[in-house]
C-alpha cells in the first residue's frame, strides 16, 4: 500500500499558484518525500524531493511541515502545460520498494 | 545527455505468447526499475536492478522476469501473456551514490496490447 494520501483531483486557475497537498503521517526519520508528475501517456517526470527543510527548484517548491507528516507541492504560476497527475511518494532506503499511490489529477483552468 | 530509452514503443501480441522489452538507462546510471501502469491499478512496481542483481521485487507472478546487463541496460520478459497484461510498461533509471535514494528518470514507456 502507498504510504501517502492525496486528493484525487484539484482545479487551479491559469497563472495562479497550485498547491498540492500530500499526507504521509507514518513517515519515518530517514524517509524522503518525492514528487513526480505524469502528463498524459508520457513517463512520470521527477519534480522535487526533500527530507526536512523546504526546497525550491526551477519547477516547484516543496513545503514540509515541521512534524513531517504532510507536505505541499507549490507550482508558483500554473500554466495549461502543468495539467497532469501529480504523485507524492516517500522512500528512505534503496532497499525500499517504490510505491506510487493514485496521485492528484490537476486541472489547470484557462 | 540522452534520456532513458525504451524499445519497442508499441507492441501487439496474442494470449500465450511471450514478449521482451528493452530499456537503456541514462549514461552512468546503474539502477533500473520497471513499472506496469494500467487504468485500474495505476503505477505498480515490478522490480529493480542494480549492478546486474535484482535488488527489489514487486508482487507480480513469476511470468514477469527481468535482467540487467553489465552496461546497465535492462530487459524484462513476460511469458504466457494474458489479456490483463495489456499495459504501459515504464522503465526508470537512477544514479546511485551517497545521499538520498536515487531520483528516478523515466522513459516514455512501451505500450503492450494483448489480444
Amino acid at each position: 500500500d502507498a504510504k501517502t494520501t492525496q486528493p484525487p483531483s484539484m482545479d487551479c486557475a491559469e497563472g495562479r499558484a497550485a498547491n498540492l497537498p500530500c499526507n504521509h503521517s507514518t513517515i519515518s526519520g530517514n524517509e524522503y518525500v518525492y514528487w513526480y508528475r505524469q502528463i498524459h501517456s508520457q513517463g512520470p517526470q521527477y519534480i522535487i524531493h526533500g527530507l526536512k527543510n523546504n526546497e525550491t527548484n526551477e519547477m516547484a517548491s516543496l513545503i514540509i511541515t515541521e512534524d513531517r507528516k504532510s507536505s505541499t507541492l507549490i507550482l508558483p504560476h500554473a500554466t495549461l502545460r502543468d495539467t497532469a497527475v501529480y504523485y507524492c511518494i516517500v522512500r528512505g532506503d534503496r532497499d525500499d520498494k517504490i510505491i506510487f499511490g493514485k496521485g492528484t489529477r490537476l486541472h489547470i483552468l484557462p | 545527455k540522452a534520456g532513458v530509452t525504451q524499445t519497442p514503443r508499441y507492441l501487439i501480441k496474442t494470449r500465450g505468447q511471450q514478449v521482451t522489452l528493452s530499456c537503456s538507462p541514462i549514461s552512468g546510471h546503474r539502477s533500473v526499475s520497471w513499472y506496469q501502469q494500467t487504468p485500474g491499478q495505476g503505477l505498480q512496481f515490478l522490480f529493480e536492478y542494480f549492478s546486474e542483481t535484482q535488488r527489489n521485487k514487486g508482487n507480480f507472478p513469476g511470468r514477469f522476469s527481468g535482467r540487467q546487463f553489465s552496461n546497465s541496460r535492462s530487459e524484462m520478459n513476460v511469458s504466457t501473456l494474458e489479456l490483463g497484461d495489456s499495459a504501459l510498461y515504464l522503465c526508470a533509471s537512477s544514479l546511485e551514490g551517497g545521499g538520498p535514494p536515487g531520483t528516478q528518470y523515466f522513459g516514455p514507456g512501451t505500450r503492450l496490447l494483448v489480444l
Side-chain angles (χ1 to χ4, degrees):
Chain A
D1 288 347
K3 300 180 183 178
T4 60
T5 305
Q6 299 177 254
S9 67
M10 292 182 62
D11 293 337
C12 179
E14 190 176 18
R16 304 296 294 268
N19 296 282
L20 292 93
C22 179
N23 182 287
H24 31 80
S25 58
T26 61
I27 194 170
S28 57
N30 69 332
E31 287 184 316
Y32 286 77
V33 179
Y34 286 82
W35 282 85
Y36 291 81
R37 73 179 182 184
Q38 187 174 26
I39 296 169
H40 183 63
S41 294
Q42 297 180 20
Q45 176 191 22
Y46 164 79
I47 301 173
I48 199 168
H49 75 275
L51 181 62
K52 294 182 188 176
N53 300 321
N54 298 337
E55 302 288 344
T56 295
N57 63 19
E58 65 278 4
M59 288 182 69
S61 294
L62 173 61
I63 308 297
I64 302 174
T65 57
E66 195 169 337
D67 62 7
R68 304 211 317 124
K69 293 186 176 182
S70 65
S71 60
T72 301
L73 178 74
I74 301 172
L75 308 177
H77 304 287
T79 71
L80 295 176
R81 286 178 292 183
D82 293 321
T83 294
V85 177
Y86 287 76
Y87 296 97
C88 166
I89 67 169
V90 297
R91 190 184 188 202
D93 189 273
R94 288 179 179 79
D95 293 331
D96 287 347
K97 292 180 183 179
I98 301 159
I99 302 173
F100 282 79
K102 300 292 186 185
T104 295
R105 187 171 296 276
L106 178 66
H107 301 277
I108 305 300
L109 307 175
Chain B
K1 232 181 210 184
V4 177
T5 57
Q6 293 187 243
T7 56
R9 293 292 311 278
Y10 303 92
L11 204 49
I12 299 175
K13 292 284 187 179
T14 56
R15 277 180 300 175
Q17 287 187 308
Q18 74 158 18
V19 67
T20 299
L21 311 182
S22 181
C23 172
S24 292
I26 292 172
S27 177
H29 285 196
R30 295 167 62 195
S31 168
V32 173
S33 299
W34 288 90
Y35 296 83
Q36 181 197 66
Q37 187 172 32
T38 59
Q41 299 297 318
L43 260 168
Q44 292 188 284
F45 173 73
L46 278 157
F47 27 65
E48 180 186 11
Y49 287 88
F50 175 71
S51 291
E52 303 178 65
T53 301
Q54 189 179 86
R55 180 160 67 182
N56 231 322
K57 189 176 188 308
N59 298 322
F60 278 81
R63 301 185 296 108
F64 292 81
S65 63
R67 59 178 175 168
Q68 186 180 33
F69 302 96
S70 59
N71 61 359
S72 294
R73 191 177 69 84
S74 177
E75 291 181 346
M76 67 162 282
N77 184 278
V78 187
S79 63
T80 320
L81 283 166
E82 301 177 359
L83 296 179
D85 297 332
S86 295
L88 179 67
Y89 289 88
L90 290 156
C91 166
S93 74
S94 63
L95 177 65
E96 294 294 311
T103 300
Q104 296 203 312
Y105 296 88
F106 284 79
T110 294
R111 190 164 294 281
L112 172 65
L113 177 61
V114 181
L115 302 176

